[in-house]
């Protein structure tokens, strides 16, 4: 079995690299996708491609249209989605991407700390599996290959 | 035309009642659905129906399973979704419900203040219409009947 | 909101009547569907309509084709499914109907006694809500109207 | 033609190995999937990954959530499903998986002994093909390559 | 339950009227649809609406485009399809309409005489129910209301 | 049979009123939908609801987002689409709406003058029925009720 | 581009071999599927696998269930369908398979002689392309690679 | 990630070659599809394959049926669609293809000059990304690989 998995979540640390590293160590045949992790590039891509925009709202919309195009292509190609929540940041894109996965009936793993049990209870209940750490998420993936 | 619309968003003030009131004043044939607005009932419904749970996480899961069942039924019956974001609360259910609407290809109106333009730019770009006030959302609905 | 719900499960007692009665007492706008509860009719309907069959296997297939036609029509018209398991009978049709509901992405409530927690754990995990009694299932339905 | 087939059924003997062996002997290009056949691992996987759970019901739910995630991924990748029933065990997962295949409109082969004709008549009627032995199921697969 | 059913088959006798009559006598809530039964109108409708056509093939295509538009609208509104075959006529539209029902996963009842068992065996096997007479088909419909 | 039909095409004359009038005269049970026919309102609706926009492109996008929301809701509720082309105007919305109907597999009637046969040949070939006048389109609709 | 195409039609001459030969000569990357062309095998496959059946109708149903399983798998894997009609045989399977292709929205090429224009007019109108010879069908396929 | 992209738009200059060239220079793994760019072949393909047609309308319909068959196969295989509009030509096929992409929920990039902002505002709003030049469209594609 070969899997493709979209990694939704914040882009402020290297959690995706950790996950990819561990998957590689276990020789799991998984292609990982995820949002643009270069934050500045992600914010500037609209003006970078379409030129200077007249105001901040147009600048944001130009960037997000290109990010959304990229995400939709990757989500289409993915067999499952992992959504990671932490204690920092608004993480509305993470929740939105998890919702899209639910709407598309794609299997979903939620990673969230114990401190977020209550505010994420509806999302957790709609996920296939809820875990607390990246290692546990990887264990779930590894189990699908056993 | 008769419409059914699901109102995603926080349940801490009466924004849904305001919207319903205004829709009624304009004689729009719209049935509105939304999450359980009695916060205590929403949190307690699991134990209320299934009895005392052994711990907080089971208590939350019991409640959320019933809330999700209710929401899924209402979402199925809805022609469109309105998602309202404000400056308070985590609002992850709002973002998740908006994501589900996107995944299901249901038309989506986003209501959010100017202060949230940047963090909601991807969600705004995937919505059909983005406005800043409840009155503007109602104007959009009213226009579909003209 | 008006709901249509298919009641999957054994046909050897009056659990459906109890559920309908309680729904009526609470004035819930629900149309209930379910399998043919007259067991003899359900087993004989093939020969009754198509005439005597050459052997038992053809007799069974004739009956089941007509029961399946009836069930598929009802399932199509249903917004949600309730599947009830007890300690008696094989109940494979109940499990199959629950599986069909899962495959069709119809919201599913599972009713099962504590004694069946382990053998029904995968089905329970794929249901939206799991409860132990008919009264609890009705409470879940009633809550969707609140 | 290359096929992927999910093998639903009990995990207490080596029927899947027999089937795979025979497919290999005939050089059929088939990838077989199926549930976790290590019964202890299947029951313990929840606690093994997520740590000790407070009670049996949470332990079961943790395990089944991971088993269901694995099954859904495999079912998605499968072109057809074979469901085997025998005279032992409850086999509700088998019936549920067959139901999911029906709901997803995946071609389905049912293997069941003559003694189960009557209780499986509705499931048999909804299957594409019903046979009594593993060898017969393999013959059906082999025929699709001729 | 209210049903809508499309009646595919030849238009050279009054079999549809017989079926409707019997359904009415039993007070079954069924709306029946079917092809244009006025054969001349069905063949001429293209030229009648679009004017004289340059040759027979254009005349036929003009008529069939309008007949197909009509059938597609009716098929969309139907919960199930009944396809009747007799010993006369080519009946390729009947077989095509039955195939469309199968492709759309609409429940299908096949009515055919014993003499056609062999040539219709694949179609019969893909139908939900196969019977030999209009009365038997009506009995199947009546059973879904019991 | 009751039908809902979306009328795609230019909004510079009263062709929709003519069609509705004729349908009424023949007592056809059809609800007609279509784009906002008040051209100024259609162009200004963005600023009218969301306030003055910083430039023409934002003004256009604001208006079109609301028009598209309205059209998507109406298209969802429609059983079929009629697309009318004439010799004036770019009519790209008409072609886009016809394309959406094709993508959604909604039955489509094309009305176009003889002068546009060549440039509309691919669209005509993908439509269910092509006619030249409003009266002919109405005749097709009337025929579906016969 | 690599294509897979299902060849529906009679199995009494070598028309499929002719088509495959010509596709090979033109180096078109096409995998062709089709029904079992060994007529005796096709009729006997039920008894061959499942053992002697009690009567002709069970014998036919056993064979057709296996043929249908095979066809459904191949149709799922096909990007398009070619349906060939000639002046002999009932060809109801051909019409049914064409109908299934229409219901599944698979592109469809119809091959039929001039003598069958009238009885196949509805099927022709629902096909993407109608031609009269195998060579013309191949030309259409070759054109998709140009 | 490997992508397949359909390039809708006029066939009167070499814009597709430019785009393919640039994608190649950047080593993007993209397969590009598009309409038949040999205009004469595209117009004549009907008569070339099916023989001389009695009149212009049949000639056009023969050609367009084959072009549409080709396009539908390519669109099915595409992950996204790019639609380019310029100031010349009617470009109704471009708008229709863009509409089909919207109806099929395929990601869509619109390329159009500033002069067409107003007449393409609804199409732009339904596209994922709108740009003005081929280079910008390529930048968007390149970004999805970063």
């Amino acid at each position: 079995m070969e899997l493709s998995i979209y990694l939704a979540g914040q882009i402020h640390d290297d959690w995706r690299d950790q996950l990819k590293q561990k998957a590689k160590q276990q020789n799991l045949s998984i292609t990982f996708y995820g949002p643009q992790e270069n934050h500045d590039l992600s914010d500037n891509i609209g003006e970078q491609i379409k030129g200077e925009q007249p105001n901040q709202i147009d600048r944001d919309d130009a960037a997000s249209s290109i990010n959304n195009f990229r995400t939709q292509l990757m989500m289409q190609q993915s067999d499952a989605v992992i959504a990671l929540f932490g204690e920092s940041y608004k993480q509305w894109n993470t929740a939105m991407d998890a919702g899209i996965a639910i709407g598309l009936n794609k299997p979903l793993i939620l990673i969230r700390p114990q401190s977020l049990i209550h505010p994420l209870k509806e999302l957790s209940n709609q996920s296939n599996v809820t875990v607390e750490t990246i290692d546990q998420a990887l264990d779930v993936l590894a189990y699908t290959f056993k």
Side-chain angles (χ1 to χ4, degrees), chain A:
Chain A
M1 189 161 59
E2 301 194 0
L3 295 181
S4 295
I5 295 187
Y6 186 83
L7 301 175
Q10 47 86 355
I11 58 175
H12 301 278
D13 65 29
D14 67 343
W15 72 273
R16 286 181 188 78
D17 287 335
Q18 290 177 42
L19 191 66
K20 289 175 194 171
Q21 208 69 21
K22 289 166 205 267
K24 206 172 178 181
Q25 283 163 13
Q26 297 198 32
N27 288 316
L28 305 181
S29 283
I30 306 181
T31 303
F32 290 103
Y33 298 114
Q36 178 52 252
E37 292 181 78
N38 179 331
H39 200 167
D40 282 349
L41 178 57
S42 171
D43 273 3
N44 297 334
I45 188 64
E47 289 201 326
Q48 195 170 302
I49 291 180
K50 300 178 66 170
E52 201 179 346
Q53 298 296 308
N55 51 45
Q56 182 58 32
I57 194 166
D58 284 354
R59 187 177 176 273
D60 275 353
D61 195 56
S64 62
S65 73
I66 297 167
N67 285 319
N68 284 335
F69 176 78
R70 188 179 174 280
T71 304
Q72 189 175 341
L73 277 172
M74 288 175 167
M75 196 77 100
Q76 279 176 194
Q77 310 230 353
S78 295
D79 303 302
V81 172
I82 292 179
L84 174 140
F85 282 81
E87 287 172 354
S88 312
Y89 317 112
K90 292 203 159 56
Q91 305 173 89
W92 287 333
N93 277 5
T94 316
M96 175 184 73
D97 286 345
I100 293 174
I102 293 165
L104 296 174
N105 209 20
K106 303 239 178 200
L108 176 64
I109 296 174
L110 174 66
I111 309 176
R112 57 102 187 86
Q114 293 213 358
S115 55
L116 296 180
I117 288 175
H118 190 68
L120 284 170
K121 65 184 195 295
E122 270 81 24
L123 185 41
S124 170
N125 179 264
Q126 298 217 52
S127 304
N128 291 48
V129 183
T130 299
V131 295
E132 291 176 18
T133 68
I134 295 171
D135 281 357
Q136 291 173 330
L138 190 83
D139 288 345
V140 174
L141 297 181
Y143 178 72
T144 67
F145 286 90
K146 272 175 197 159

